[in-house]
Amino acid sequence: MKKWFIAFAGLLLTVTLAGCGSQTVATTNGGKITESAYYSSLKGTSSGKQVLQQMILNKVLEKQYGSKVSKSAVNKQFNTYKSQYGSSFKSVLSQSGMTESSLKTEIRSNLLLKEAVKDNVTVTDAQLKKQFKSYEPKVTVAHILVSKKSTAQTIIKDLKGTKKSDLTSEFTKLAKKYSTDTATKNKGGKLSAFDSTDTSLDSTFKKAAFKLSTDEYTATPVKTQYGYHVILMLKNPGKGTIKEHKAELKKQIIDNDMNDSTVLHNVVAKVLKKGNVSIKDNDLKNILSDYLSTSSSSKSSSSSK
């Protein structure tokens, strides 16, 4: 399963480092293990230190941005993942050592971090222009997938004599007759709307689709790893201007920043410094030194605010 929270590398362990008393954690015929002994042992490991880093960051993120991340936003993301994995969702969770509750906790951490990124980087005009070059707004298409190029050519030939007003209905009939895509053939071959950031569709397919205007279809078969496609553009709003798509372009840039370790390091450093973090355990006093000693001099892909 995808690793959603990426501020710190390593395992996210479901342990609490706060307990350091004499309560017994486990007993054996060779003696007992107390909370304090367990804590002392764990804090010396890299995984234990990463857990503490994670816990500290979560605390300060909640303080600074908790009001900006709603329960419904977490549930929406959770349901997206659940839908994506379908019937295998529970087994994938289990294989990842996670529960539904821990996944929701991780999703919330990720959304909080994203709010911090939004708050601590400035998207420049240069970045907007660069992002716009490769940007394509959401389009809606229908397609017919077949295994042979000659079959695709036959479909295109049948479409050539069709009036534009009858194009969609004719395409629907041909999809039902020819398409091997069982998920869409009975829906006229219609796919969910997608833009240039979509990663579920073949890049060749997307490139061919974006070239089409509304009510236009591919004049030649489009070959992908799945076979040959005939694509009909149902709705293409056109690329427009940077101003018209500024909000979406900024969102895409922030999403890119969420995968940029330099940006995240700089943002986390700012968040932790604002959080007045004080490490009370002398053995762990340097656990955040990479973030709290000095500000990172590295420049991120977005300008720091």
Side-chain angles (χ1 to χ4, degrees), residues 10 12 62 79 93 95 115 128 158 189 209 228 267 286 290:
L12 285 178
E62 279 290 354
N79 289 330
L93 271 182
Q95 290 167 16
E115 289 298 328
L128 289 171
D158 289 345
Y228 294 89
V267 169
N286 295 321
D290 285 348

Side-chain angles (χ1 to χ4, degrees), residues 138-241:
K138 281 190 174 182
V139 299
T140 305
V141 307
H143 82 127
I144 299 172
L145 174 64
V146 294
S147 58
K148 295 181 180 179
K149 184 177 181 179
S150 57
T151 306
Q153 290 172 328
T154 297
I155 294 168
I156 292 171
K157 186 177 180 181
D158 289 345
L159 289 170
K160 282 183 178 178
T162 306
K163 294 180 181 178
K164 185 170 288 189
S165 58
D166 298 329
L167 198 54
T168 301
S169 59
E170 181 62 22
F171 198 89
T172 297
K173 292 176 185 176
L174 293 170
K176 191 171 185 178
K177 181 179 179 180
Y178 290 105
S179 187
T180 59
D181 183 357
T182 56
T184 64
K185 68 177 298 176
N186 292 321
K187 298 188 294 183
K190 187 176 179 180
L191 296 170
S192 298
F194 60 91
D195 61 19
S196 51
T197 65
D198 183 277
T199 57
S200 63
L201 295 171
D202 184 277
S203 59
T204 303
F205 182 97
K206 288 194 297 180
K207 186 176 180 181
F210 290 136
K211 290 180 180 179
L212 301 172
S213 300
T214 301
D215 293 327
E216 186 179 3
Y217 56 88
T218 47
T220 57
V222 178
K223 185 180 180 181
T224 70
Q225 58 183 309
Y226 306 106
Y228 294 89
H229 306 257
V230 179
I231 306 171
L232 170 66
M233 179 59 69
L234 299 174
K235 183 180 180 181
N236 187 342
K239 189 162 183 175
T241 64

Side-chain angles (χ1 to χ4, degrees), residues 1 88-100:
M1 179 173 277
S88 63
F89 180 66
K90 287 187 177 180
S91 63
V92 173
L93 271 182
S94 179
Q95 290 167 16
S96 303
M98 301 184 75
T99 63
E100 291 191 1

Side-chain angles (χ1 to χ4, degrees), residues 277-303:
V277 179
S278 176
I279 307 297
K280 304 301 183 183
D281 188 315
N282 286 333
D283 293 333
L284 297 168
K285 63 182 179 181
N286 295 321
I287 196 172
L288 298 176
S289 59
D290 285 348
Y291 299 95
L292 297 179
S293 55
T294 55
S295 298
S296 173
S297 60
S298 300
K299 296 295 183 181
S300 68
S301 62
S302 296
S303 301

